[in-house]
Amino acid sequence: MKKSLTYVLSFALLLAVAVPVSTQSVSAAAKTYKNCTELNKDYKGGVAKSASVKNKGGKTKHKPFVSAELYEANKTKDRDKDFIACEK
């Protein structure tokens, strides 16, 4: 009984410590890039605000990475305002 209580408490403590760490790594992903060349080095297809957005310019070579937070940090690079920044 004491062992199982110890395991449960240890797991709860580990979970409580791990959740804030993963939240911090998501916010660190919202990097602002200097230009589209720099952004396309990390994300070849650009960055889309959501998975349901469509490209206005037609067919692209690469599928965009979907991240609303990363898009918001780099939305000045979305020249055609189709909610995909730096699409290729």
Side-chain angles (χ1 to χ4, degrees), residues 17-85:
V17 171
V19 170
V21 171
S22 65
T23 304
Q24 290 174 354
S25 65
V26 170
S27 63
K31 179 180 176 184
T32 303
Y33 290 88
K34 186 171 70 170
N35 54 37
C36 283
T37 304
E38 294 296 318
L39 188 140
N40 288 137
K41 286 180 184 177
D42 292 336
Y43 306 100
K44 291 186 187 262
V47 177
K49 188 171 185 175
S50 72
S52 63
V53 297
K54 301 290 183 197
N55 183 8
K56 285 183 181 176
K59 193 167 183 148
T60 57
K61 291 181 184 178
H62 304 283
K63 188 174 182 176
F65 177 77
V66 178
S67 170
E69 187 177 352
L70 189 58
Y71 174 81
E72 287 298 322
N74 295 284
K75 68 180 174 182
T76 58
K77 291 155 193 70
D78 184 9
R79 295 185 303 182
D80 56 359
K81 308 295 183 218
D82 62 353
F83 299 108
I84 304 172

Side-chain angles (χ1 to χ4, degrees), residues 8-22:
V8 169
L9 289 175
S10 297
F11 179 75
L13 181 62
L14 181 64
L15 186 61
V17 171
V19 170
V21 171
S22 65

